[in-house]
Amino acid sequence: MAKSKSQEFLFRDSPPHPLEIVNSQGSYLIDKDGKKYLDFMAGWCVGNIGWKKQELHDALIKFNGPEYVSPSYIYKRWEHLAEKLVNLLPTKEGTCFRATGGTEANEIALKISRAYNKRKKFLAFKSAYHGQSLACLSLVKIPDHEKHFGTFSQDYIQITAKEGKEEWEKTTAQAVKLIETKEISAFICEPIICNLGVIIPPQSFFTTITNACKKTNTLFICDEVATGFGRTGKWFGFEHYNLNPDIITLAKGLSSGYAPIGATIAKPHVAESMRFDFSNYSTFGWHPISVEVTIANIDYITNKNLIQKANDHGKYLVKKLSSFCTPQGRGLCISFPEKRKGTEERCRKAGLIISTLGEKILLFPPLDISTEEINTAVEILRQEI
Ligand SMILES: Cc1ncc(COP(=O)(O)O)c(C=O)c1O
């Protein structure tokens, strides 16, 4: 497709999908010709509550507070949001750090960890994803990034996430050995690994790893940027495993995409390690508008019972898909193998937005997706995969 003049001024790493979005509504994206597309990606786990929700728009429009508050002042709504977030955790214990998005939230987590145990090394899953900063890219060492951005520091060590009992046993043993050196500051991962095609580690992996972490004063960082806020049928993905992470990172569904925001929540004694001058600063972290929208988003998810809905709708979607493919996932965080190339494009032409990653098809619809919308999407997938 020929580039327009205006496109020349905007950098893109690859050509855009041929879809010009002008609006969104409920579970749909709307293009420049008024065509509606069922949005089964929700911007990659962003729009958990769906688009154009009145309650969120009201929060934006009715807000009459300061345009901006400098991080060093008192702002009561920050305290209110921090308390609200901590109260969503099963332990109801934590200290929040303000961020603008997922990458920054993870950077803060890595800093807290180093400040806490004064170790330099980190352990993560190879080719997973925690953000675009050099530290976040170093964590996962995606080969192309290593090639173009230079060799990453040896302080970042990777284990592999491959499906299958034996593979997990091998990975678990390797990780424990590394953790037992007492040189690792933290192990970071998604509880359900969306960025590797919705891989679900077994309970035994997390139980063994977190026990090893506890014994060696190694921190466990749970990246809930994609899995948080109901995506997997619980507020947080780690709840499926009954875990108690030392640090949790949040973004995306935290505001359901109505404004940019990120957060890092650390256990209080871990957060204490950051109590020194200029340990962290984020000019736009928890901007007042983002804070209002995030508070409204949490209330919306709660009032509309969206966590339960994600469970129910997820079960229904998996049941429907099972008649012609082998879906796996939790809640509305679902993937299944792609049978022939080009599914994403064929589905888009048929009015359904999905994504492919490696050889997997990914589905992350809004949590309040209706039965009719699921039926429509399933029929398109049945035809097009
Ligand atoms: C699991 C995970 N962590 C971190 C990030 C980075 O978040 P952001 O793009 O808001 O910096 C992403 C983004 O896709 C993600 O999926």
Side-chain angles (χ1 to χ4, degrees):
M1 206 172 39
K3 248 200 223 169
S4 71
K5 187 74 192 154
S6 60
Q7 279 179 339
E8 274 177 26
F9 296 114
L10 178 68
F11 175 78
R12 317 200 63 129
D13 57 8
S14 50
H17 295 317
L19 179 59
E20 187 178 334
I21 306 292
V22 295
N23 218 331
S24 49
Q25 176 73 52
S27 306
Y28 292 89
L29 299 179
I30 302 164
D31 78 4
K32 63 178 175 20
D33 303 315
K35 182 173 171 183
K36 289 170 79 181
Y37 297 80
L38 249 182
D39 185 5
F40 264 51
M41 280 311 287
W44 192 285
C45 305
V46 175
N48 286 5
I49 66 167
W51 308 119
K52 282 270 177 324
K53 300 296 175 174
Q54 193 60 47
E55 289 84 341
L56 278 273
H57 277 253
D58 285 350
L60 277 170
I61 289 158
K62 288 182 185 158
F63 177 62
N64 191 23
E67 273 73 34
Y68 176 73
V69 184
S70 173
S72 44
Y73 292 125
I74 296 167
Y75 182 52
K76 284 291 169 189
R77 299 297 275 171
W78 286 334
E79 293 167 25
H80 181 65
L81 175 56
E83 186 176 351
K84 226 173 162 59
L85 284 176
V86 169
N87 278 326
L88 294 176
L89 302 179
T91 56
K92 312 227 177 300
E93 229 194 16
T95 305
C96 294
F97 292 74
R98 294 159 284 169
T100 50
T103 304
E104 191 183 352
N106 282 327
E107 282 283 336
I108 295 169
L110 301 179
K111 283 166 62 185
I112 297 171
S113 182
R114 280 193 172 177
Y116 173 73
N117 56 24
K118 305 284 185 285
R119 299 176 189 164
K120 277 171 77 183
K121 295 185 180 177
F122 292 109
L123 188 62
F125 283 122
K126 173 85 180 151
S127 295
Y129 186 64
H130 299 290
Q132 284 285 340
S133 65
L134 278 174
C136 288
L137 293 178
S138 305
L139 283 170
V140 298
K141 289 188 185 152
I142 294 168
D144 238 18
H145 287 150
E146 258 209 299
K147 185 170 124 202
H148 292 283
F149 299 140
T151 305
F152 292 125
S153 154
Q154 296 307 307
D155 289 335
Y156 299 85
I157 303 167
Q158 291 75 36
I159 49 173
T160 50
K162 273 204 195 136
E163 286 168 311
K165 191 166 177 285
E166 270 175 34
E167 294 290 350
W168 277 113
E169 280 169 3
K170 254 193 260 166
T171 297
T172 308
Q174 191 197 0
V176 168
K177 213 168 151 197
L178 288 161
I179 291 167
E180 283 177 346
T181 61
K182 297 190 181 173
E183 287 180 8
I184 307 282
S185 182
F187 168 56
I188 178 169
C189 73
E190 291 186 276
I192 288 163
I193 316 166
C194 296
N195 286 288
L196 288 174
V198 187
I199 290 182
I200 307 172
Q203 177 72 52
S204 57
F205 169 76
F206 279 120
T207 306
T208 310
I209 295 303
T210 50
N211 280 341
C213 283
K214 228 179 273 166
K215 268 194 228 149
T216 56
N217 205 26
T218 307
L219 296 187
F220 171 48
I221 304 172
C222 207
D223 180 339
E224 293 274 359
V225 168
T227 49
F229 292 85
R231 172 56 49 200
T232 69
K234 294 198 183 276
W235 275 101
F236 304 106
F238 70 77
E239 293 176 70
H240 289 285
Y241 298 96
N242 228 350
L243 302 173
N244 182 8
D246 299 294
I247 306 178
I248 298 155
T249 58
L250 306 169
K252 294 189 185 252
L254 173 58
S255 69
S256 283
Y258 286 69
I261 191 163
T264 310
I265 312 180
K267 283 183 178 167
H269 74 282
V270 173
E272 276 308 305
S273 61
M274 291 289 275
R275 238 178 262 287
F276 62 92
D277 199 28
F278 212 47
S279 67
N280 199 57
Y281 188 92
S282 178
T283 298
F284 285 131
W286 290 25
H287 185 280
I289 292 284
S290 301
V291 168
E292 288 314 302
V293 163
T294 300
I295 291 167
N297 181 52
I298 295 170
D299 290 342
Y300 189 90
I301 294 174
T302 309
N303 296 339
K304 301 282 177 183
N305 211 7
L306 289 192
I307 307 292
Q308 187 58 45
K309 281 189 180 150
N311 259 303
D312 298 345
H313 298 166
K315 282 191 186 124
Y316 180 72
L317 175 55
V318 165
K319 191 167 153 229
K320 297 283 286 186
L321 291 169
S322 299
S323 66
F324 60 92
C325 65
T326 49
Q328 65 172 21
R330 294 277 183 278
L332 286 166
C333 185
I334 294 169
S335 76
F336 58 90
E338 184 177 32
K339 288 185 189 150
R340 56 192 172 107
K341 290 248 169 274
T343 313
E344 193 173 328
E345 196 183 339
R346 286 193 300 279
C347 282
R348 188 167 59 241
K349 284 183 179 154
L352 173 68
I353 304 294
I354 56 147
S355 194
T356 48
L357 183 71
E359 283 155 13
K360 295 259 189 82
I361 290 172
L362 306 176
L363 304 178
F364 305 135
L367 309 186
D368 67 348
I369 190 86
S370 71
T371 306
E372 295 73 43
E373 288 162 348
I374 291 178
N375 292 343
T376 304
V378 166
E379 283 320 303
I380 294 174
L381 287 166
R382 193 195 298 277
Q383 300 293 325
E384 306 299 345
I385 66 167

